Amino acid sequence: MKLPNASSTGKYSELRGDPDFMLSLARGIEVLLAFSERKSAASVADLAARTQLDRAVVRRCLYTLEQLEMVERSDGKYRLKPQVLKIGHAYFSSEAIITRAQPLLDTLSEQVHTNCALAILNDEDVVYLVRSQSKKLLPQSLGMGSRLPAYCTSLGRVLLANLPEEELNLYMAKIRLEPYTEFTVTQEPALRAALQAAKADGYAIVDQEMGLELSGIAIPIQVPGYEFLMALSVTSNPKYVHTNEIKDRYLTDMLATAEKLRRL
């Protein structure tokens, strides 16, 4: 989700004077979204820095969210409460492809005996729309709405590879390439090279960059009726399936599932 950009004359200056624009609502949503930066708790100062809003404004937004039971305060810091999940649930329950895709991913997971996921790109992360969890591979419990960094996941790589050049350059300008493991690509030239390869190949393979003993392959999917590009992934443990074998082991079944998704 993108809110209007800040400018030298203040945030939302292009909407100043619009009687239908609710500035307080925009600020409240911005504060709520600022919690997505993988911090378990945040202070008023933290959120003011992330949103570039005055502390007094952030404090009022947090007070309102607290009254709505969407955040809670402890030791001067705020955390999201489960109530906030209702906002995301409204989106996921309204998207027909999510309910229709789940059986297809469950079938694929049974075929390949490992985890499968369908995701989209949102800002700097991939967001899971659908996931099928295998009993054989349970390193993480990720469900609808879970977010992972795009640059070091197969889902993210294949989605970034298909961005228009201008959007990719904007992404590169703001992303911090942090090492999650010793194998994480943290240099922009190397990442761009990997994206070029993914674009040319039509798939991306990432080996233990997000987590040790986790490798993945992803392909892009453009489903008719949806303007955003999706990606389908299969995750495996290199102890059982060597990274060099991932393509031969999974790609054919993934392409067949992708074709079924396109016909939903």
Side-chain angles (χ1 to χ4, degrees):
M1 180 178 180
K2 287 284 190 182
L3 292 175
N5 292 327
S7 71
S8 59
T9 57
K11 289 201 170 189
Y12 321 120
S13 61
E14 68 272 25
L15 293 169
R16 184 173 296 167
D18 185 341
D20 294 321
F21 181 72
M22 295 180 63
L23 180 60
S24 58
L25 177 59
R27 287 171 169 171
I29 292 174
E30 191 166 0
V31 170
L32 199 58
L33 292 176
F35 280 95
S36 67
E37 296 198 3
R38 298 188 189 87
K39 299 289 185 180
S40 58
S43 66
V44 171
D46 294 332
L47 295 167
R50 294 177 193 172
T51 59
Q52 299 181 332
L53 294 171
D54 291 339
R55 292 191 185 189
V57 172
V58 172
R59 190 175 289 107
R60 289 198 300 272
C61 289
L62 289 169
Y63 175 80
T64 302
L65 292 169
E66 191 174 12
Q67 301 312 305
L68 295 173
E69 298 186 350
M70 290 190 176
V71 303
E72 61 183 357
R73 178 175 49 180
S74 177
D75 298 326
K77 292 194 174 184
Y78 292 83
R79 299 173 185 270
L80 295 178
K81 293 186 68 175
Q83 181 79 357
V84 79
L85 294 173
K86 288 186 176 181
I87 299 175
H89 178 73
Y91 168 76
F92 286 109
S93 63
S94 68
E95 287 294 337
I97 189 171
I98 293 174
T99 55
R100 294 177 182 177
Q102 187 67 62
L104 294 179
L105 264 69
D106 290 342
T107 298
L108 177 61
S109 181
E110 292 175 3
Q111 290 173 337
V112 299
H113 307 293
T114 189
N115 298 346
C116 307
L118 186 69
I120 59 173
L121 187 66
N122 179 251
D123 292 332
E124 300 171 13
D125 298 330
V126 288
V127 179
Y128 283 90
L129 298 179
V130 184
R131 191 166 190 263
S132 185
Q133 182 102 5
S134 169
K135 294 180 180 180
K136 183 178 179 181
L137 187 68
L138 297 169
Q140 288 181 294
S141 180
L142 299 170
M144 290 190 307
S146 295
R147 306 175 73 94
L148 290 175
Y151 67 90
C152 56
T153 57
S154 59
L155 286 163
R157 289 269 178 89
V158 81
L159 290 168
L160 290 172
N162 285 276
L163 282 179
E165 184 176 358
E166 182 178 355
E167 291 184 30
L168 179 59
N169 289 337
L170 289 173
Y171 170 86
M172 290 293 187
K174 66 180 180 179
I175 191 67
R176 292 179 59 187
L177 302 178
E178 299 178 351
Y180 283 84
T181 74
E182 61 186 294
F183 303 107
T184 308
V185 172
T186 57
Q187 299 299 317
E188 183 177 329
L191 178 58
R192 285 186 179 273
L195 297 180
Q196 289 175 357
K199 179 73 171 179
D201 295 337
Y203 62 87
I205 294 177
V206 172
D207 183 20
Q208 303 185 86
E209 293 191 37
M210 181 64 211
L212 296 176
E213 300 184 357
L214 281 176
S215 297
I217 178 172
I219 58 174
I221 305 174
Q222 187 68 65
V223 177
Y226 293 86
E227 61 178 275
F228 49 83
L229 187 68
M230 303 178 198
L232 173 68
S233 73
V234 168
T235 305
S236 65
N237 188 325
K239 284 185 177 180
Y240 308 119
V241 179
H242 193 276
T243 306
N244 293 336
E245 301 173 339
I246 286 180
K247 176 187 172 184
D248 291 339
R249 181 73 69 91
Y250 302 131
L251 187 57
T252 298
D253 288 331
M254 292 174 68
L255 291 172
T257 300
E259 185 58 33
K260 294 175 184 177
L261 286 168
R262 294 187 187 97
R263 296 200 300 265
L264 286 179

